[in-house]
Amino acid sequence: MTSPALAPSSPEPRPEIGVGPILQRGTGPIRAAHYVPAGVDTVLWGRLPAAGDVPILSVDSGTEVTIDTVSHEGLLDDQGGDPVAFFAVHGVPRNRVLDDAVEIAGLVPRDSGIDGPHVVSRPIEVRGARPGDVLGITLVEALRRVPYGVISNRHGRGALPDRFPAGPENVSVFSPVMPNDPTDLAADAPAHGSVPLRTGAPGPGADPQTLTPGPEIGLSDGVVPARATFPLRPFLGIMGVAVAETERPHSVPPGMHGGNIDVSLLVPGATIYLPVQVAGALAYVGDPHFAQGDGEVSLTALEASLRVTVRFDLVSATAAAARWGTLSAPLIETPEFLVPCGLGDTLDEAMRACVSASIGLLGTRFDMESHLAYAYLSAATDFRISQVVDRVVGVHATIRRSDFEGDQNLGVLIAASESYEEALAANDTNALDAAFIEGLDTLRADAHGILRGSEAISRFRGRRGGTARREVVGRDVRWIDPHNALMVIETRTLAGGRGLNTQHWTLGPGGWRIALAQVAAPAAAIDPAVWRIVGTPLVSASADGLLAGERIAVKDLFAVAGQRIGAGVPAYLAEAESENEIEPVHAPALAALLEAGAEVTGIAQTDEFAYGLTGTSGPHAPAANPAAPGHLPGGSTSGPAVAVASGQVSIGLGTDTAGSIRVPAAYQGLWGLRTTHGLVSRAGVLPLAPSFDAVGWLTRSPELLRRVLEASVPELSPAAALSAEANSVPESVPLPEVALPAHPRRPHILCLPDLLTGVDPDVLSAYHAALARLASQGLTITELAPAHLAEVPEVFRVVQAGEAHAAHGEWVAAHPDALDPAVAERFRAAANLDPAVLTAATARLPELRAHLNAALGGRVVLLPTTPGPAPRVDADPAELDRVRAHTLRLTTLASLTGRPALAFPVPRAPGALPIGLSLIGPPGSEHTLLALAETLFPSTVREI
């Protein structure tokens, strides 16, 4: 991947000081959703993290984090302690020196007589990591932050301390960086560094600190080369986990914790594995290099600052022991090599340690006898010197992966697979249990989520009661190593349709058994958890227009001509059918979309009477969340959201009372808009709580959402919403007019800290990153604590309950067993409301609404959409109640005030659960909210 180039700073960079972008903190490409800039609060200097250090970030296994690293070169006391002055000697202007390097040199504490030289990140917690586990840190991307670096040699250090430095001063050799293609200014473009042939040689880049007169070196053709050039291979010299002791270790010597390992193979794509010593692992990185030769003989290599993206992957103690045995030193894996490491006080010790580690790895990984492994290593493996300058020296082996590929034990493996298929056909649960490896690390996944651990898988089989009969039509096997194989099985069910099953088989003492199974069954023609009824289409477009070619999933609350409203309740639908209650015309909100050229694919499921936020009520709930398998889809507009997220339709038409559009948008990575209360007609829509019900839509992109808005409310044009004269909303909106800001393109942003209680750290991190982006655009950001804000959830709850009971209480009472227990309990509580409490809340609602609208004025509120990602499908009711309470604290502000709210996704690392943020604006500001959200996270704007 080549990152986009940045416009070079002024003045134009000169070749003698390097060519390329300057990645000051917060500028340029930032790959991951989690970003750690370098600065006083985020780095340590000279020491590494230890037990007891407070993490600056907590992430799940599999998460990518982008980190700005800073080289110590130019910062150290023996270089003057002033990077601006140090690099100025080499012609580097101030605007091409990193601001964070200047800040660290001046403000981060370091005792130069005791501490090491390296700048490292403060620790990052990996949730769930425990001592005995192994943490993998993969370098995903490395971008040069500057186009120059430094190679140093100091007295008493290096491979030849008795010879170098030759003079009284330490030596720091400046190396400009030049892209191989001079027109390619990307931060990861192929490039080279260089070193002068002589200190007095002609040409650019001679080091003035060591410059002495000298004769030119003449070549036979009269050409004098000024510099020796070499390719860059950026990597991190330091990647580690916290030690179990409370005293922070010196940054120079490497150890079991990793640290200053200085193995030049750790380029993007490589992973270092480190035994976890403390809870949370407390991982860190630093000591960025542009290039290093094995040995790093002069003391440092080409040291320079990098913006890196790393991924943290946790391997359980059991899985690590099966894969590697007992690690005696850090282990590295690259696409080409397995790289055991050896450390010692001398090269002899390090070499012996590395050979022993290599023999142990071959024995565990490939069941290779030790004397044969010893012979193989002697014949086929290079042992390389990592470095000889870090007090503890290092050696690493390069064991070719390709030497151990083959079709070992294929016949035995196929027989085990056939036995498993026979057990499936017979529903022999004991045999099926025996086919899977026992323990917490075993996985089984399908479209509904992941089962973790053999006990959970066994319980699932007990509930399932067998599977559809199938026959195997093909098997493909790819060997990972002699003890591990990946098998892909193609099946055909006797009822029709094909499926795919991917299995990871492991050979152990009990024979071949399954460690992981992923099941892709033949797709159902109609998923009843998503759809109540579908057609091809169900309703055709009535005209051509803005939405031509788009497909709609309609929440089962809207009138669709010729159909019935089911409200997610089979008994309610059955009564409508028995009484022949067919809707004569489309709801106006739907008719507007049809007249703009969209067609209806089907009527989609909803939480019962739309009285839920999780998508867990209804005859077939929950639907599988396409963006977060194993997690709830969110509701109550659950069916339309899943249909949009899975690509079955492009538009979800729904309602939002307490967040019923916004919550599924956050849980599924969608764009969801709750419109200004009353802006879009609710005629033909089954109500829940009319004081709060609002029509809205879900899409995969803001561009389509904008077109839906224009088609539905043409009088609310983008031009009007973005003009200084757009000071009111349509007369149909039953709210006091609230003036839009004078410059809606640059609205005033409000943050409400009182609403952030219970929000997950990941969501808070994204929230603060969004605030920082808004501030960087020059927008004014103000914290506000409106009086009476704490009343909102309770006033909302009581009024909603009263109105829900008024709308449906009589029917619910007449059908006591018709609803999901959780929804039935909400209606029971609504029926038992103290009339005095309901009267008081109903009277308080317009007062509170007016007060908050006056306090918020024409400003835009930024909030998390939900407190965290979607809960798991097997979350217990108490956990769901806790999430619901925290969610309503965030969502009910827009519902009670009647303001529009736009939920939009936050960029996340691949595999991370979706999370979202919301913008709440003045009435009629829907287009402004869309424009503002698009500037926040441009990478989410494209169709996904």
Side-chain angles (χ1 to χ4, degrees):
M1 170 179 172
T2 299
S3 300
L6 298 182
S9 304
S10 179
E12 290 292 326
R14 304 190 308 273
E16 61 266 28
I17 61 170
V19 173
I22 303 296
L23 300 187
Q24 299 284 10
R25 57 187 160 201
T27 68
I30 298 175
R31 175 187 173 103
H34 297 283
Y35 168 55
V36 180
V40 174
D41 298 327
T42 58
V43 303
L44 298 173
W45 193 4
R47 293 280 167 172
L48 305 179
D53 276 334
V54 177
I56 56 172
L57 180 66
S58 295
V59 300
D60 293 322
S61 176
T63 299
E64 291 185 2
V65 180
T66 296
I67 304 171
D68 280 348
T69 64
V70 174
S71 171
H72 55 273
E73 293 290 357
L75 283 64
L76 299 174
D77 290 346
D78 63 6
Q79 295 171 322
D82 181 354
V84 174
F86 176 84
F87 288 113
V89 174
H90 302 281
V92 180
R94 171 62 184 88
N95 67 346
R96 295 182 71 76
V97 177
L98 294 176
D99 295 337
D100 45 19
V102 176
E103 177 181 308
I104 291 166
L107 298 176
V108 176
R110 171 181 176 266
D111 186 333
S112 61
I114 299 175
D115 297 332
H118 305 101
V119 178
V120 301
S121 66
R122 286 184 179 270
I124 295 171
E125 176 188 31
V126 180
R127 287 189 283 265
R130 297 167 294 185
D133 295 337
V134 171
L135 182 68
I137 307 177
T138 300
L139 183 59
V140 177
E141 181 180 67
L143 306 180
R144 298 185 296 276
R145 299 187 63 200
V146 293
Y148 53 81
V150 175
I151 309 164
S152 290
N153 174 226
R154 292 175 171 84
H155 287 283
R157 307 290 172 83
L160 300 175
D162 54 333
R163 290 185 56 191
F164 299 102
E169 302 296 329
N170 293 327
V171 172
S172 294
V173 178
F174 182 85
S175 174
V177 166
M178 292 291 293
N180 296 350
D181 177 354
T183 65
D184 190 349
L185 299 182
D188 58 354
H192 57 272
S194 62
V195 173
L197 298 188
R198 297 181 65 88
T199 54
D207 190 338
Q209 288 193 327
T210 60
L211 186 62
T212 57
E216 295 184 3
I217 302 176
L219 301 181
S220 59
D221 59 1
V223 177
V224 181
R227 309 181 70 83
T229 62
F230 50 90
L232 302 189
R233 285 174 53 83
F235 74 100
L236 290 170
I238 290 180
M239 303 169 85
V241 294
V243 297
E245 296 77 22
T246 56
E247 180 180 353
R248 290 173 176 162
H250 195 280
S251 70
V252 170
M256 280 294 291
H257 59 281
N260 192 27
I261 200 76
D262 275 337
V263 174
S264 61
L265 291 174
L266 279 167
V267 296
T271 304
I272 186 169
Y273 292 97
L274 303 164
V276 173
Q277 300 188 33
V278 301
L282 300 185
Y284 54 89
V285 300
D287 190 27
H289 290 57
F290 279 7
Q292 177 187 297
D294 288 343
E296 199 181 20
V297 294
S298 87
L299 177 62
T300 79
L302 180 54
E303 317 266 332
S305 301
L306 292 169
R307 173 169 295 162
V308 299
T309 298
V310 295
R311 187 182 67 249
F312 300 104
D313 294 297
L314 191 61
V315 183
S316 70
T318 302
R323 184 172 175 181
W324 302 303
T326 301
L327 294 181
S328 57
L331 173 68
I332 296 166
E333 293 190 1
T334 76
E336 185 178 1
F337 297 116
L338 302 175
V339 187
C341 298
L343 303 172
D345 292 333
T346 67
L347 277 176
D348 284 347
E349 291 181 10
M351 181 67 176
R352 286 195 292 271
C354 188
V355 174
S356 295
S358 300
I359 291 172
L361 176 65
L362 292 175
T364 301
R365 189 73 170 260
F366 304 114
D367 197 24
M368 195 174 194
E369 295 182 31
S370 56
H371 72 285
L372 298 176
Y374 196 31
Y376 163 79
L377 293 170
S378 186
T381 298
D382 291 330
F383 286 80
R384 303 178 181 178
I385 298 172
S386 310
Q387 49 72 30
V388 293
V389 295
D390 294 336
R391 303 185 184 179
V392 173
V393 300
V395 171
H396 59 274
T398 51
I399 300 172
R400 286 184 297 272
R401 291 173 176 269
S402 59
D403 291 354
F404 293 87
E405 294 177 352
D407 291 335
Q408 305 93 330
N409 299 314
L410 179 60
V412 179
L413 173 60
I414 296 299
S417 174
E418 291 173 343
S419 296
Y420 174 71
E421 290 296 323
E422 291 171 2
L424 273 177
N427 195 30
D428 185 341
T429 55
N430 290 332
L432 292 172
D433 288 348
F436 279 72
I437 294 174
E438 294 180 8
L440 296 175
D441 296 321
T442 304
L443 301 176
R444 181 197 181 277
D446 59 23
H448 296 284
I450 301 175
L451 296 171
R452 294 175 173 86
S454 54
E455 289 188 8
I457 297 170
S458 180
R459 290 195 300 271
F460 161 76
R461 289 198 201 94
R463 296 192 304 267
R464 180 180 60 183
T467 63
R469 294 295 300 272
R470 72 188 194 192
E471 61 178 352
V472 174
V473 295
R475 283 186 179 88
D476 284 87
V477 176
R478 298 294 182 269
W479 292 97
I480 301 170
D481 57 51
H483 283 198
N484 292 275
L486 193 68
M487 182 181 293
V488 179
I489 302 173
E490 185 180 7
T491 62
R492 181 172 55 233
T493 66
L494 300 187
R498 295 204 172 207
L500 287 175
N501 299 270
T502 303
Q503 299 162 347
H504 176 186
W505 290 80
T506 294
L507 179 61
W512 284 104
R513 300 169 78 186
I514 299 170
L516 179 152
Q518 197 277 331
V519 180
I526 300 174
D527 183 350
V530 178
W531 298 103
R532 178 168 74 76
I533 186 171
V534 297
T536 55
L538 185 67
V539 181
S540 297
S542 56
D544 199 5
L546 273 175
L547 303 179
E550 306 295 346
R551 302 184 312 280
I552 312 166
V554 180
K555 188 176 185 178
D556 194 8
L557 299 179
F558 287 78
V560 178
Q563 302 294 332
R564 300 170 178 85
I565 294 176
V569 183
Y572 189 86
L573 176 64
E575 284 193 4
E577 291 174 341
S578 66
E579 297 173 13
N580 201 28
E581 294 179 357
I582 295 175
E583 299 299 321
V585 295
H586 299 306
L590 172 59
L593 303 181
L594 295 171
E595 289 164 7
E599 63 182 31
V600 174
T601 295
I603 299 172
Q605 299 286 9
T606 172
D607 275 294
E608 295 169 340
F609 290 118
Y611 209 174
L613 288 175
T614 54
T616 52
S617 67
H620 303 284
N625 183 336
H631 294 257
L632 295 174
S636 62
T637 312
S638 53
V642 171
V644 172
S646 61
Q648 298 178 62
V649 298
S650 50
I651 302 168
L653 173 61
T655 58
D656 185 304
T657 304
S660 293
I661 283 176
R662 291 165 284 162
V663 171
Y667 287 176
Q668 299 186 48
L670 300 174
W671 290 73
L673 179 62
R674 170 199 166 89
T675 56
T676 301
H677 186 260
L679 180 64
V680 179
S681 172
R682 297 193 308 279
V685 181
L686 193 72
L688 175 64
S691 292
F692 310 118
D693 295 343
V695 173
W697 313 278
L698 292 143
T699 65
R700 294 188 295 276
S701 75
E703 182 277 329
L704 177 55
L705 189 54
R706 181 179 292 106
R707 284 192 283 131
V708 171
L709 178 61
E710 291 174 12
S712 300
V713 196
E715 64 271 23
L716 193 72
S717 68
L722 293 174
S723 72
E725 290 73 34
N727 291 322
S728 63
V729 295
E731 293 180 359
S732 61
V733 181
L735 293 172
E737 288 190 355
V738 179
L740 290 175
H743 301 286
R745 282 190 180 274
R746 303 181 64 78
H748 190 134
I749 306 299
L750 292 178
C751 55
L752 308 179
D754 291 347
L755 297 185
L756 300 180
T757 303
V759 175
D760 288 1
D762 275 5
V763 179
L764 280 177
S765 176
Y767 173 71
H768 289 300
L771 285 175
R773 288 178 187 264
L774 290 170
S776 71
Q777 296 170 23
L779 300 187
T780 300
I781 298 175
T782 304
E783 287 192 359
L784 185 69
H788 312 297
L789 183 63
E791 295 182 46
V792 170
E794 181 61 12
V795 171
F796 174 90
R797 181 191 70 82
V798 173
V799 176
Q800 180 196 35
E803 294 187 354
H805 177 68
H808 306 296
E810 182 178 346
W811 189 93
V812 171
H815 302 78
D817 299 321
L819 300 183
D820 175 86
V823 178
E825 174 58 26
R826 290 186 197 115
F827 275 106
R828 186 199 65 76
N832 293 328
L833 268 177
D834 184 333
V837 171
L838 177 58
T839 299
T842 303
R844 179 60 175 149
L845 174 61
E847 300 170 353
L848 186 57
R849 174 177 281 171
H851 171 79
L852 290 172
N853 272 318
L856 300 178
R859 297 174 289 187
V860 173
V861 177
L862 177 69
L863 282 175
T865 304
T866 57
R872 288 194 53 80
V873 293
D874 56 0
D876 61 57
E879 170 65 8
L880 294 181
D881 286 344
R882 184 193 69 81
V883 171
R884 178 181 173 84
H886 287 310
T887 301
L888 289 172
R889 185 181 291 114
L890 296 168
T891 58
T892 50
L893 175 63
S895 301
L896 187 140
T897 59
R899 293 177 166 235
L902 173 68
F904 56 94
V906 171
R908 300 280 276 167
L913 296 176
I915 58 175
L917 301 177
S918 286
L919 292 167
I920 303 171
S925 63
E926 282 85 346
H927 283 291
T928 300
L929 300 184
L930 276 164
L932 182 59
E934 287 180 277
T935 70
L936 266 176
F937 296 112
S939 63
T940 68
V941 170
R942 64 184 181 273
E943 181 84 4
I944 58 174

